[in-house]
Amino acid sequence: MPERMKSGLELHDVHISLGERELVAIDVKIPPGEVLTLMGPSGSGKSSLLSYICGTLSETFSVTGRVVLDGMPLDGVPPQDRHVGILFQDDLLFPHLSVGGNLAFALSSKVRGRANRRARVEAALVSAEMEGFYDRDPATLSGGQRARVALMRVLLSEPCALLLDEPFSKLDSGLRSQIRSFVFDLCRKNSLPTLMVTHDPEDAEAAAGRVIALD
């Protein structure tokens, strides 16, 4: 299979409605490495847009428009084949797996061999400044460490785009700034077109990209 060209995430005239009420109307292109912020109050359709991009939006919503990722339309593509990663406000780590097990879960089956898979995970832990945490129980981690593991797990799945769904809202103010920088730096380093939804103006300011407000 040829390598995908990195042209970014494109939302072509996307309109999402619930009944007679239009929630989202957006037409935008997010190039590789940019973090675009979508701001709006609860119920404004932010999370619905992310679900649509992921391919998991309920059929109770009506949608027009299309999503294109690296030149490939995503219409009709199963969620697991879209190469879209998403990071939620809850870290959703598996409590029955070690830190290393949580990260290895995201690796493609194409990464073969126990030693090779372990090496990939160890390298991710080094990137997250968590060297030596492979065998740790997730329950023993701090909030910031859990957030880092959650992000590295998403990145190990090798997404072509990243969605951020209020990922910093449950962190205390001091930790929030640190984890924001960590996330945004990795988005740019990995040339990921990134769409963040938030209601926090400080998130948007830290992202240092374009901001779109939903009414």
Side-chain angles (χ1 to χ4, degrees):
M1 184 176 177
E3 185 176 347
R4 296 165 68 121
M5 63 174 182
K6 289 189 174 183
S7 57
L9 178 65
E10 302 170 46
L11 306 178
H12 290 284
D13 202 21
V14 172
H15 294 256
I16 301 177
S17 302
L18 184 59
E20 297 298 317
R21 181 187 175 205
E22 184 174 80
L23 301 175
V24 175
I26 187 170
D27 187 276
V28 71
K29 177 177 179 179
I30 309 171
E34 181 182 354
V35 181
L36 176 72
T37 300
L38 195 63
M39 294 197 66
S42 297
S44 59
K46 304 187 305 297
S47 293
S48 298
L49 177 61
L50 298 192
S51 295
Y52 173 60
I53 296 170
C54 289
T56 59
L57 184 65
S58 166
E59 292 183 359
T60 58
F61 293 86
S62 58
V63 184
T64 60
R66 64 191 184 116
V67 180
V68 177
L69 177 56
D70 290 342
M72 298 178 60
L74 297 186
D75 305 87
V77 176
Q80 67 272 17
D81 296 329
R82 293 190 173 209
H83 301 284
V84 175
I86 185 165
L87 194 65
F88 298 99
Q89 57 183 280
D90 295 310
D91 52 65
L92 304 179
L93 300 183
F94 301 121
H96 63 288
L97 296 178
S98 67
V99 167
N102 267 276
L103 293 176
F105 183 84
L107 289 172
S108 167
S109 59
K110 296 177 184 177
V111 182
R112 301 183 182 277
R114 182 177 299 179
N116 192 22
R117 292 175 71 84
R118 171 103 186 203
R120 290 282 190 98
V121 171
E122 294 283 12
L125 287 170
V126 170
S127 296
E129 299 181 357
M130 294 180 64
E131 188 174 2
F133 278 69
Y134 189 98
D135 295 315
R136 283 278 293 271
D137 183 335
T140 67
L141 302 182
S142 68
Q145 289 167 339
R146 292 178 67 90
R148 285 171 182 251
V149 171
L151 175 63
M152 298 315 296
R153 185 172 63 181
V154 172
L155 294 181
L156 281 172
S157 70
E158 299 183 340
C160 296
L162 183 63
L163 308 178
L164 304 176
D165 191 0
E166 305 271 8
F168 316 115
S169 62
K170 291 192 173 182
L171 300 174
D172 64 60
S173 57
L175 190 58
R176 194 175 303 154
S177 176
Q178 174 191 347
I179 298 301
R180 275 195 200 112
S181 296
F182 177 70
V183 171
F184 297 149
D185 286 349
L186 282 179
C187 291
R188 296 184 180 103
K189 180 181 177 182
N190 288 276
S191 298
L192 288 173
T194 302
L195 176 61
M196 175 175 65
V197 302
T198 183
H199 62 271
D200 187 345
E202 291 186 5
D203 287 346
E205 183 178 354
R210 290 176 292 162
V211 179
I212 295 176
L214 293 181
D215 294 332

